[in-house]
Amino acid sequence: MTPKTGLATALVAAVVAALVTAATLLVIWRVAPGVVDAPSAALDEKKITDIVHSYLTKNPEILVEMTNELDKRQAEEQAANQQKVISENADALFRSPNAYVAGNPNGDVNVVEFFDYNCGFCRRALPEVVKLIENDSKVRLVLKELPIFGEDSEAASKAALAAGKQGKYFEMHQKLFTEPGKADKDKALKVAGELGLDIPQLEKDMEDPSVKQALDEAKDLAQKLGLQGTPLYLVGDQVIPGAPDDLYDQFVKDVAQIREKGCKATC
């Protein structure tokens, strides 16, 4: 069963259940005159169910309309909630001392990325992100470590944040994505060695309370935003979920819009 089929089935069940109530008999009477003699008709549950089933079978486009309307309302609700979360958590999202900033630290537009080093979509999107800050000297890129794929991802994130204490965060960040193989502690230590980092100090810094604080903060923000997976991008208060094929073009469009009109929320 596909997600769409499952949703349609659930919708039918929900509609039938709702229409069993006496109050909804009036709706049936109005949309299907002649099927029910009067809104107060005394019908048992089975007969009502049969009526609704028959009507929906003859008019299946109603389910498509319902699905589309449900998708629209859920998207609007999520967007409204995200705007509220962005406004209420602007400092943590855009100006937290726990997050690494690439590009222009004093840039006029904030671009935030939530990512996991073992996320294939994040890996695919990296060149587009780098291209953005290389082509636009006024973009301020805020990187949020969000290791959602288990302990190996968490170890890689800790190593990247620890590398930042030796001034090599962004170099480590890029190599953890571009070097072949799964991102884990072993790979991170190998990369750290290639970058000339002090490995014993790096391992010590991986357990620094500030590293845990950065991970906890990103996780909390992601939950508040209703993040369903990585990557997630914020361009000001504009949200880009996932890594669409035209990601760079969306970055450019949203950056230009924020520059021209500013944010609806605080950003």
Side-chain angles (χ1 to χ4, degrees):
M1 179 182 292
T2 65
K4 209 70 171 181
T5 303
L7 178 57
T9 301
L11 283 170
V12 172
V15 171
V16 171
L19 292 176
V20 167
T21 66
T24 55
L25 285 173
L26 179 59
V27 177
I28 302 174
W29 180 70
R30 287 178 176 173
V31 301
V35 176
V36 181
D37 292 334
S40 60
L43 299 176
D44 61 28
E45 182 174 334
K46 183 179 184 307
K47 191 167 184 179
I48 295 172
T49 300
D50 289 343
I51 290 169
V52 175
H53 182 274
S54 175
Y55 186 75
L56 292 177
T57 301
K58 293 176 182 178
N59 302 273
E61 66 277 4
I62 291 175
L63 294 178
V64 177
E65 293 174 9
M66 291 171 62
T67 302
N68 291 339
E69 182 62 24
L70 178 61
D71 289 345
K72 178 184 174 183
R73 293 188 185 188
Q74 288 180 334
E76 290 174 349
E77 181 179 354
Q78 183 182 38
N81 178 67
Q82 288 176 334
Q83 290 292 311
K84 183 173 183 290
V85 169
I86 292 169
S87 184
E88 292 177 349
N89 297 273
D91 284 341
L93 281 166
F94 304 116
R95 292 173 285 278
S96 172
N98 297 317
Y100 179 84
V101 175
N104 185 344
N106 300 310
D108 61 349
V109 176
N110 286 305
V111 175
V112 179
E113 178 184 9
F114 289 86
F115 61 90
D116 182 303
Y117 289 114
N118 285 308
C119 162
F121 292 106
C122 303
R123 180 189 295 267
R124 189 183 78 184
L126 176 65
E128 308 304 305
V129 176
V130 173
K131 180 180 177 181
L132 174 67
I133 60 174
E134 287 180 345
N135 290 350
D136 190 328
S137 61
K138 294 183 179 180
V139 165
R140 183 174 182 271
L141 176 64
V142 183
L143 295 164
K144 299 287 189 182
E145 301 273 350
L146 187 67
I148 61 176
F149 291 112
E151 293 181 0
D152 287 338
S153 290
E154 183 173 331
S157 286
K158 286 182 175 180
L161 290 167
K165 297 181 181 298
Q166 296 185 46
K168 293 288 185 177
Y169 175 89
F170 201 52
E171 291 87 345
M172 172 75 88
H173 172 81
Q174 293 180 82
K175 287 181 74 66
L176 283 172
F177 275 128
T178 57
E179 293 289 308
K182 184 177 184 180
D184 56 17
K185 184 175 180 179
D186 289 342
K187 178 179 178 179
L189 294 181
K190 176 178 177 293
V191 168
E194 293 171 353
L195 292 173
L197 299 181
D198 181 332
I199 304 300
Q201 185 62 46
L202 181 86
E203 292 187 277
K204 180 180 178 181
D205 288 338
M206 286 172 67
E207 304 307 319
D208 190 276
S210 65
V211 169
K212 182 178 185 302
Q213 186 177 358
L215 298 180
D216 288 345
E217 181 181 74
K219 181 179 178 181
D220 178 63
L221 290 169
Q223 289 175 339
K224 289 176 179 177
L225 285 166
L227 185 146
Q228 300 297 312
T230 52
L232 178 80
Y233 302 95
L234 304 179
V235 180
D237 60 354
Q238 302 299 306
V239 180
I240 304 176
D245 292 338
D246 63 342
L247 178 60
Y248 179 74
D249 292 336
Q250 287 198 40
F251 280 151
V252 172
K253 175 179 67 69
D254 288 348
V255 166
Q257 180 176 323
I258 295 299
R259 283 200 177 117
E260 179 183 356
K261 299 180 180 179
C263 297
K264 295 177 183 177
T266 302
C267 69

